[in-house]
Amino acid sequence: MKDRGIIFNIQKFSIHDGPGIRTTVFFKGCPLRCKWCSNPESQLDSVQILWNESKCSRCKTCISTCNQNAISIIDNRITIDGKKCMGCLQCIANCPNDALKNEGEYKEIEEILDTCLQDKDFYDESNGGVTISGGEGMSQPAFLKELVSDLKKENIHVAIETTGYIDHELFKELSILFDLLLFDVKHYDSNKHFEGTGVYNDLITQNLKWAIENGINILPRIPVIPNFNNSLEDASGIADLLKDVGAERVQLLPFHQFGEKKYDMLNKVYTLKDTKALHPEDLNNYQEVFINKGINCFF
């Protein structure tokens, strides 16, 4: 149903997801599998159960509660089979130690709208608004269109953080709904892009170019990831790509480890576990590459 969508978080007073004070609505579901993803719980478009090992007593209540036989113990770890789990949340309700929690729930448009409208005064005072994040908001197109339409009726500035990996015709239909597109650019080399994200960048580049050529307010953003796109050669290649599509500005997002614990709770391997975070001061030379090519580059 288009009036319901699967959401995994609504974060108030966001200041890094577009201009001013914002409410960020996190959609669940993403076509990419970025190795550094800080929201790994956003990738699947279904309810997921997270397990907190430090709280678990291995009492097996969750196993006996699950009618789908989706829960087991493997190597002394509680493991949830996502293909069997129906998202009934009975395991969470019956866990005596609060060791389980869900990520993702279906919400109606009206509920999300009511939450966003609570901070309308802050949006107006700071030139802020609402940002759709994820995951990939465009992966729930009918729900997205209805939510944005209702936000616009309230004169709220709406932005979206997007991977750009969306069917081109659908992207053209959806991108014009927004006041601002925060558009990820992860690599200039399509094969390298695939290695890091699981998809090639041809469609992403096509959508980026179309948006710029059609006057959409778009801010390309580069998540700078060690051993993936953080070399000066990478910076030069990405800068050339941005010049080719007509981009005049870009924001750098230094790699961080804010989502590391989530991988353990999802029983996933995190390949960047021991990788040091980056800071703006680490990327001065990287930034200069873009500036020297005539692109306004900032953090």
Side-chain angles (χ1 to χ4, degrees):
M1 295 173 60
K2 67 179 180 179
D3 60 347
R4 295 179 74 236
I6 187 165
I7 305 296
F8 70 93
N9 192 19
I10 300 179
Q11 180 177 300
K12 291 189 168 190
F13 293 95
S14 297
I15 57 172
H16 300 295
D17 301 326
I21 295 172
R22 312 188 69 81
T23 297
T24 303
V25 181
F26 291 85
F27 281 43
K28 210 168 185 301
C30 184
L32 274 64
R33 294 294 181 266
C34 301
K35 293 180 178 180
W36 58 88
C37 182
S38 59
N39 292 324
E41 74 278 25
S42 74
Q43 295 177 358
L44 296 183
D45 58 354
S46 58
V47 175
Q48 288 176 279
I49 309 300
L50 273 66
W51 172 62
N52 190 329
E53 182 176 13
S54 64
K55 292 184 177 181
C56 182
S57 64
R58 275 69 168 187
C59 67
K60 301 183 181 179
T61 301
C62 56
I63 295 176
S64 61
T65 299
C66 181
N67 293 326
Q68 303 299 320
N69 297 316
I71 306 176
S72 58
I73 294 183
I74 300 175
D75 295 331
N76 204 35
R77 296 178 60 86
I78 296 294
T79 302
I80 295 95
D81 186 337
K83 294 180 180 179
K84 293 181 179 179
C85 177
M86 301 298 291
C88 69
L89 308 185
Q90 287 303 304
C91 57
I92 295 174
N94 287 280
C95 178
N97 300 306
D98 295 324
L100 299 174
K101 72 171 186 174
N102 65 297
E103 284 292 352
E105 59 180 316
Y106 285 93
K107 288 184 177 290
E108 296 186 358
I109 295 285
E110 184 177 354
E111 183 181 357
I112 298 172
L113 185 64
D114 287 346
T115 300
C116 292
L117 286 175
Q118 291 171 7
D119 291 336
K120 180 71 159 56
D121 290 344
F122 293 109
Y123 310 152
D124 293 342
E125 292 173 7
S126 67
N127 293 318
V130 172
T131 297
I132 307 299
S133 188
E136 172 56 68
M138 291 189 187
S139 65
Q140 300 183 54
F143 176 67
L144 178 68
K145 288 174 69 174
E146 187 168 334
L147 175 59
V148 174
S149 175
D150 285 354
L151 289 167
K152 286 293 189 178
K153 290 175 184 176
E154 301 293 339
N155 296 313
I156 294 176
H157 179 282
V158 186
I160 186 169
E161 295 181 325
T162 180
T163 65
Y165 191 76
I166 306 296
D167 173 81
H168 185 57
E169 294 304 315
L170 182 58
F171 177 82
K172 291 196 292 184
E173 179 184 346
L174 296 176
S175 60
I176 60 175
L177 302 176
F178 295 92
D179 299 295
L180 173 65
L181 266 64
L182 303 169
F183 194 110
D184 278 3
V185 178
K186 297 180 171 72
H187 214 290
Y188 69 96
D189 182 281
S190 193
N191 290 322
K192 290 289 187 181
H193 194 282
F194 182 86
E195 289 178 14
T197 70
V199 304
Y200 296 101
N201 72 353
D202 308 77
L203 179 60
I204 295 169
T205 303
Q206 180 187 15
N207 287 335
L208 176 61
K209 183 175 182 178
W210 182 89
I212 293 172
E213 289 178 346
N214 285 271
I216 292 174
N217 185 19
I218 186 166
L219 174 59
R221 304 196 304 177
I222 305 170
V224 185
I225 311 300
N227 302 315
F228 173 68
N229 65 358
N230 67 319
S231 72
L232 297 185
E233 179 183 352
D234 294 327
S236 181
I238 297 174
D240 288 341
L241 183 151
L242 292 176
K243 293 284 285 185
D244 287 343
V245 299
E248 297 179 350
R249 58 177 181 161
V250 68
Q251 182 179 12
L252 302 182
L253 306 175
F255 170 73
H256 59 73
Q257 290 284 16
F258 297 153
E260 181 176 358
K261 185 178 180 181
K262 298 176 184 178
Y263 286 83
D264 283 336
M265 296 178 73
L266 286 167
N267 203 29
K268 285 187 170 185
V269 175
Y270 181 47
T271 58
L272 279 76
K273 185 173 183 178
D274 297 319
T275 304
K276 290 184 178 180
L278 295 175
H279 304 280
E281 57 267 27
D282 299 320
L283 297 172
N284 289 334
N285 293 335
Y286 193 96
Q287 180 186 24
E288 283 296 319
V289 172
F290 292 90
I291 294 173
N292 290 338
K293 288 179 178 283
I295 298 174
N296 178 17
C297 182
F298 56 91
F299 294 95

